[in-house]
Amino acid sequence: MGSVFITLILVGAGGYFGLPLLFPNLNEDLTDNGIILQTKYYESYTAANIFWNVADYENIPDTELNITTSGNSKLIVAFEGALMLRLGSTFIGETKYNITLDISGVGNRTTCIYSGINAVQGTDWEVPCNTHISFETGILPAGTYTISVYWSSAIAPTSGWSQLFVLDEYPRSIYVQEIAG
């Protein structure tokens, strides 16, 4: 019994004095360092599509979120979408669609969905394209920021057609956190 008591005292003292030496920031004040001030999430199931011949950026319908910040903070934003790429039965060549996550007045990030086929398949093809884009801003002033997702066609096929779409049963979402600066 005495040896158990002495072991507990030694382990406790070792932890109390030893952990700060091993982890010097363990007791650091975290009141304004990385604290989540707010979180917003938006999910849409609205059907939408874009065809190969739309070269101008268009807002993906029903895919937008506003956030009002307190200032001296940053935003961490993510977009997720279950998209489908459809290639027509006479499709030959390449097709590419750009997907852009935009924070109004701050910046954006773009990814693409691409496919290429060099022979007619004779039937429509559908390819699932799970898309994720994330973006972390620098320190921002107080204000309201609009987070939108856009898409456009960047390469049209040599022949046939292509389409990028979301059906009403596939979700797409925007997730944003305001983090204290």
Side-chain angles (χ1 to χ4, degrees), residues 28-162:
E28 185 176 293
D29 182 14
L30 297 177
T31 56
D32 286 331
N33 189 11
I35 299 298
I36 298 172
L37 300 175
Q38 66 174 312
T39 299
K40 291 186 91 174
Y41 178 80
Y42 178 76
E43 188 171 270
S44 174
Y45 287 84
T46 306
N49 65 66
I50 185 172
F51 285 91
W52 81 101
N53 57 354
V54 180
D56 293 332
Y57 274 94
E58 293 183 349
N59 192 321
I60 298 176
D62 205 20
T63 310
E64 189 171 278
L65 175 70
N66 290 323
I67 187 167
T68 301
T69 64
S70 58
N72 194 30
S73 59
K74 65 182 177 180
L75 297 176
I76 297 175
V77 183
F79 166 75
E80 300 259 348
L83 307 173
M84 294 288 279
L85 177 62
R86 180 179 289 150
L87 307 175
S89 61
T90 60
F91 177 91
I92 296 177
E94 302 172 292
T95 192
K96 176 180 165 186
Y97 292 89
N98 289 325
I99 314 293
T100 299
L101 172 65
D102 181 74
I103 303 172
S104 64
V106 176
N108 61 62
R109 295 292 180 268
T110 300
T111 191
C112 72
I113 295 173
Y114 170 87
S115 186
I117 296 176
N118 59 9
V120 172
Q121 300 301 309
T123 185
D124 290 358
W125 278 49
E126 289 185 356
V127 182
C129 305
N130 293 318
T131 303
H132 175 87
I133 307 171
S134 58
F135 182 30
E136 182 175 331
T137 71
I139 301 298
L140 300 171
T144 299
Y145 298 91
T146 302
I147 300 162
S148 305
V149 183
Y150 297 89
W151 56 8
S152 73
S153 173
I155 299 175
T158 305
S159 74
W161 57 272
S162 68

